[in-house]
């Protein structure tokens, strides 16, 4: 049997023979319950049609969302409004380049890069061919998708709008509704995983036999390596470059049995995030300057209390969970996972794997507070009455979010299962 008939589990490294699925079925790993692959309605061409339609719609809505103002505030005969790009520009001009860069990348660049690259690939698949740079583009989609935070931005917009109703009259604009539609479309586009698109391409536009490479898997398990990018299980002889690094036969990504220096780099990221979490909570994330008064600083916790005391307990709870509970939980959970992996603990591997998945899922939601700060600073620009600017706490908190996301991405969950079996992998 060729390696194309094998599939490796992302979370525990277990190897399986790929089996056909019936309608609406999903294949899961028997050890860690990770979803390996799922059944898709229609044939390959129909799936390509659906991907083109959804992605094209998302790209058009994305352009509308970035072009029109989100809302306008009216106060004392003055009006102010802002697009997302305007919010980035205001933060940059105010000396908050780090926060501006975070908002620019996570809310504008990475979502646009993901949708544009996906549309480029989808159009080629619809025509039954691989576009130039197919493998590299799909790997770009993978990276951009991890950092694109459209759904978090949408919740941040809603919180900002509700918050502004107590200060001024809020007038919605097309950008607000466009972001709502974009969030839904992005959720639908997320169903098309890059790994599934590599398999779809193998059906619609197979590679030449000599390029794809044929080899037997009649080797020991330690001779097989599953590619973290496209999911292909690679067997001997591996494709090596001049520097001696092994590369995947299908997508060209570097092959590693485990992420290099995973435990060490995770500790470094966690240590930096822990140190920055202290000033992130002690320093103001925003300054409010009222007419005839000085600047008043608001920390994350004071913002939570403000929402609670002004009759918005729901928003207070959301911000408290996203800005306080989630970061602390991530730091504690990742430290626990990394320590137990380093000690090669055999205790509760399934529970630890589920904890890792929870950390991966909730990691991005801590950016909620950064988006609220950016939109608030951009909208409240009534120079004669009140002005809100970002504070140093926002920079520290944003760095905490980024560092914890990098730490969770750097941690290799397969290390949890390595002590369970000698090589962490097996055939089923």
């Amino acid at each position: 049997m060729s390696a194309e008939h094998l599939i490796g589990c992302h979370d525990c490294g277990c190897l399986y023979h790929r089996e056909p699925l019936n309608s609406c079925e999903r294949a899961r790993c028997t050890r860690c319950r990770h979803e390996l692959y799922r059944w898709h309605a229609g044939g390959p061409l129909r799936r390509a049609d659906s991907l083109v339609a959804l992605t094209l719609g998302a790209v058009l809505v994305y352009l509308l969302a970035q072009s029109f103002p989100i809302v306008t505030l009216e106060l004392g005969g003055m009006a102010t409004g802002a697009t997302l790009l305007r919010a980035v520009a205001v933060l940059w001009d105010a000396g908050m380049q780090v926060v501006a860069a975070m908002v620019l990348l996570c809310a504008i660049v990475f979502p646009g890069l993901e949708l544009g690259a996906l549309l480029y690939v989808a159009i080629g698949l619809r025509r039954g061919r691989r576009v130039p740079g197919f493998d590299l583009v799909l790997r770009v989609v993978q990276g951009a998708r991890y950092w694109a935070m459209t759904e978090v931005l949408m919740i941040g917009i809603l919180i900002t709008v509700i918050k502004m109703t107590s200060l001024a009259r809020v007038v919605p604009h097309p950008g607000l509704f466009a972001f709502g539609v974009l969030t839904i479309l992005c959720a639908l586009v997320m169903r098309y995983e890059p790994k599934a698109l590599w398999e779809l391409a193998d059906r619609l536009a197979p590679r030449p036999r000599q390029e794809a490479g044929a080899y037997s898997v009649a080797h020991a398990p330690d001779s097989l390596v599953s590619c973290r990018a496209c999911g292909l299980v690679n067997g001997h002889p591996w494709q090596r470059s001049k520097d001696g690094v092994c590369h995947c036969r299908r997508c060209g990504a570097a092959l590693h049995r485990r992420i290099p220096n995973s435990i060490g780099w995770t500790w470094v990221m966690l240590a930096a995030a822990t140190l920055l979490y202290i000033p992130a909570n002690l320093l103001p994330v925003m300054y409010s300057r009222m007419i005839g008064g000085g600047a008043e600083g608001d920390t994350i916790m004071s913002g939570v209390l403000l929402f609670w005391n002004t009759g918005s307990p729901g928003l207070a709870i959301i911000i408290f969970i996203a800005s306080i509970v989630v970061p602390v939980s991530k730091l504690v959970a990742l430290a626990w996972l990394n320590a137990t992996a380093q000690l090669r603990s055999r205790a509760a591997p399934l529970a630890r794997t589920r904890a890792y998945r929870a950390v991966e899922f909730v990691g991005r939601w801590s950016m909620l507070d950064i988006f609220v700060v950016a939109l608030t600073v951009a909208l409240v620009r009534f120079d004669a009455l009140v002005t809100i600017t970002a504070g140093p706490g926002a920079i520290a908190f944003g760095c905490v979010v980024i560092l914890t996301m990098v730490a969770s991405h750097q941690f290799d969950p397969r290390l949890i299962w390595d002590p369970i079996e000698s090589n962490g992998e097996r055939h089923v």
Side-chain angles (χ1 to χ4, degrees):
M1 177 178 289
S2 67
E4 286 80 359
H5 294 90
L6 293 178
I7 186 169
C9 178
H10 175 277
D11 288 356
C12 72
C14 191
L15 299 178
Y16 294 89
H17 295 303
R18 181 184 292 274
E19 299 290 343
L21 300 178
N22 295 323
S23 176
C24 300
E25 285 186 337
R26 300 184 182 188
R28 293 187 181 275
C29 176
T30 57
R31 287 207 299 178
C32 69
R33 308 305 299 165
H34 174 71
E35 182 179 303
L36 301 173
Y37 57 98
R38 66 176 67 182
W39 175 87
H40 290 278
L45 194 57
R46 182 178 174 184
R47 288 166 58 189
D49 287 340
S50 300
L51 178 59
V52 170
L54 281 174
T55 311
L56 180 59
V59 168
L60 294 176
V61 175
Y62 168 85
L63 295 175
L64 292 175
Q66 302 296 340
S67 302
F68 289 93
I70 300 172
V71 293
T72 294
L73 300 186
E74 297 179 356
L75 177 65
M78 295 182 292
T80 179
T83 62
L84 198 55
L85 283 171
R86 170 63 178 164
V88 172
V90 170
L91 287 170
W92 190 276
D93 293 340
M96 290 288 147
Q97 288 85 359
V98 175
V99 180
M102 292 178 188
V103 176
L104 176 66
L105 293 173
C106 295
I108 299 177
V109 174
F110 287 130
L113 188 61
E114 177 196 353
L115 293 175
L118 202 56
L119 180 61
Y120 174 66
V121 168
I123 291 176
L125 291 178
R126 177 62 185 82
R127 296 176 178 177
R129 64 184 183 89
R130 297 171 186 262
V131 294
F134 177 86
D135 298 315
L136 177 60
V137 172
L138 271 186
R139 285 159 59 188
V140 168
V141 171
Q142 281 182 320
R145 179 168 291 184
Y146 185 77
W147 295 101
M149 304 180 186
T150 304
E151 73 281 11
V152 182
L153 173 65
M154 186 63 219
I155 300 299
I157 291 174
L158 294 178
I159 291 176
T160 305
V161 169
I162 296 174
K163 181 180 180 180
M164 291 300 100
T165 55
S166 62
L167 177 66
R169 181 172 177 266
V170 179
V171 180
H173 280 274
L176 176 62
F177 304 104
F179 272 113
V181 176
L182 179 62
T183 303
I184 297 173
L185 290 176
C186 285
L188 296 175
V189 170
M190 286 279 286
R191 297 169 56 195
Y192 294 87
E193 298 181 354
K195 290 183 180 180
L197 295 181
W198 262 296
E199 296 173 5
L200 182 62
D202 288 342
R203 295 184 180 183
L204 293 175
R207 300 177 190 269
R209 189 66 175 174
Q210 63 273 18
E211 179 184 350
Y215 47 93
S216 171
V217 297
H219 305 285
D222 59 358
S223 69
L224 302 172
V225 178
S226 178
C227 178
R228 298 279 284 180
C230 71
L232 180 70
V233 176
N234 291 258
H236 280 312
W238 293 342
Q239 178 180 327
R240 294 179 180 271
S241 61
K242 293 181 179 179
D243 58 2
V245 177
C246 299
H247 293 271
C248 176
R249 292 174 177 270
R250 180 160 67 180
C251 71
L255 290 176
H256 301 286
R257 188 163 299 282
R258 297 294 179 263
I259 297 176
N261 304 314
S262 172
I263 291 177
W265 279 113
T266 302
W267 280 129
V268 171
M269 296 297 109
L270 286 177
T274 302
L275 290 176
L276 286 171
Y277 187 70
I278 299 173
N281 283 272
L282 296 180
L283 297 177
V285 294
M286 287 189 297
Y287 289 108
S288 303
R289 291 179 173 83
M290 307 292 291
I291 184 172
E296 181 179 347
D298 294 316
T299 63
I300 294 175
M301 199 62 206
S302 67
V304 172
L305 294 175
L306 176 63
F307 275 114
W308 186 272
N309 295 329
T310 54
S312 300
L315 295 180
I317 292 173
I318 292 175
I319 295 179
F320 178 77
I321 292 175
S323 303
I324 304 294
V325 176
V326 170
V328 173
S329 300
K330 285 193 301 182
L331 291 172
V332 173
L334 282 171
W336 171 55
L337 291 173
N338 212 39
T340 52
Q342 187 172 19
L343 296 173
R344 296 186 62 82
S345 171
R346 298 170 62 92
L350 182 57
R352 286 187 283 152
T353 302
R354 287 173 174 168
Y356 164 76
R357 292 171 189 157
V359 169
E360 281 280 272
F361 176 76
V362 303
R364 62 180 53 226
W365 287 96
S366 296
M367 280 293 290
L368 182 64
D369 212 51
I370 298 299
F371 290 142
V372 172
V373 169
L375 292 169
T376 302
V377 169
L379 287 171
V380 184
R381 309 298 295 174
F382 304 104
D383 294 337
L385 299 176
V386 58
T387 302
I388 295 180
T389 56
I395 298 177
F397 186 77
C399 291
V400 170
V401 177
I402 300 300
L403 287 171
T404 52
M405 288 187 66
V406 173
S408 64
H409 192 63
Q410 184 67 30
F411 178 75
D412 195 332
R414 295 171 295 182
L415 296 173
I416 297 173
W417 295 91
D418 280 353
I420 309 301
E421 293 184 9
S422 60
N423 60 7
E425 297 167 351
R426 65 176 181 176
H427 290 286
V428 176

